[in-house]
Amino acid sequence: MSSKSLLAEMRQVQLAIDLIELGARLQVLETETDLSRARLIRLFKEIRGMSPPKGMLPFSTDWFITWMPNIHSSLFYNTFLRLQKDQGCERMEAFISAYRLYAEQVEIDGAETVLGLTRAWTLIRFFESDLLQLSACTRCAGHFVAHAHSPTHDYVCGICQPPSRAGKTRKRQQSVADRKPAKASPLPLDHRMA
Ligand SMILES: [Zn+2]
């Protein structure tokens, strides 16, 4: 094996290790690395001390639009974009850094890690498949995850206008008339999404 291909393989292994440590499912590892399934399973067992869980990944875009998941997803996705645009990070490098920053921020805020790593990965895949878009909030100007092709002219985010029964997630695309006035932000996240 040439030193060049050895280096490339070491990078692949490092990527897999980073992803496993952050909680990636096997499907994420198989998609994002060139390593064999058997090797990935071995790595997974070594790092996590258990076999990778079986089962399908969550496939619906709706989860990302519900209230609290939307706030967390938007925070993560804005960070992911910024790392690529401003820092020149490559896609997976930006993904791992953005996820670490998100997890750190949630810990600092004393909040729950609503967005797991595999969900975060599904989120960027949905953007890459044009199933989701970022919509600018007309009140705070922050950018939030929304269904692709949804109208943006009167969009108000879940921080500026939380659901009346905050805590129970519900879809945002409902009539504005039956909403109560906006309450205080549940998390001080809004300034990071502008
Ligand atoms: Zn807003």
Side-chain angles (χ1 to χ4, degrees):
M1 187 183 278
S2 74
S3 59
K4 198 179 168 190
S5 65
L6 183 64
L7 187 65
E9 184 168 338
M10 280 170 65
R11 285 213 181 101
Q12 293 279 307
V13 171
Q14 189 56 53
L15 173 60
I17 290 171
D18 285 344
L19 288 169
I20 292 166
E21 283 178 346
L22 290 169
R25 298 280 290 263
L26 194 59
Q27 192 175 332
V28 179
L29 306 170
E30 284 187 288
T31 309
E32 299 297 344
T33 73
D34 301 328
L35 303 175
S36 72
R37 185 181 172 87
R39 186 143 186 220
L40 289 169
I41 291 172
R42 272 206 310 277
L43 271 175
F44 194 101
K45 283 182 179 166
E46 264 171 45
I47 293 162
R48 304 289 298 271
M50 56 185 259
S51 296
K54 296 191 171 76
M56 299 288 285
L57 295 179
F59 281 118
S60 169
T61 52
D62 289 344
W63 185 85
F64 298 100
I65 312 301
T66 51
W67 180 60
M68 190 54 88
N70 187 258
I71 294 170
H72 283 247
S73 302
S74 300
L75 171 64
F76 166 78
Y77 195 70
N78 278 283
T79 307
F80 171 69
L81 286 187
R82 198 167 290 178
L83 286 169
Q84 290 178 95
K85 249 184 245 168
D86 300 351
Q87 311 291 324
C89 290
E90 283 172 34
R91 176 176 167 275
M92 283 314 281
E93 186 190 359
F95 175 75
I96 287 169
S97 296
Y99 193 78
R100 286 199 177 121
L101 288 168
Y102 160 73
E104 274 172 31
Q105 193 57 57
V106 165
E107 205 182 322
I108 289 165
D109 289 344
E112 194 191 331
T113 310
V114 173
L115 183 73
L117 179 116
T118 299
R119 289 266 197 191
W121 179 76
T122 311
L123 176 72
I124 65 165
R125 302 269 291 179
F126 281 150
F127 269 96
E128 287 163 359
S129 309
D130 286 326
L131 293 169
L132 293 171
Q133 67 182 23
L134 280 181
S135 294
C137 174
T138 50
R139 289 193 196 162
C140 71
H143 291 84
F144 290 82
V145 176
H147 285 301
H149 315 298
S150 56
T152 56
H153 61 280
D154 60 353
Y155 176 77
V156 178
C157 78
I159 292 175
C160 292
Q161 196 167 56
S164 51
R165 291 171 301 141
K168 292 197 174 182
T169 52
R170 73 173 191 183
K171 285 174 195 172
R172 190 178 300 114
Q173 304 297 338
Q174 293 183 358
S175 81
V176 175
D178 71 348
R179 297 260 181 88
K180 290 178 181 166
K183 289 172 197 147
S185 164
L187 281 172
L189 302 176
D190 45 336
H191 62 284
R192 289 175 229 130
M193 294 176 199

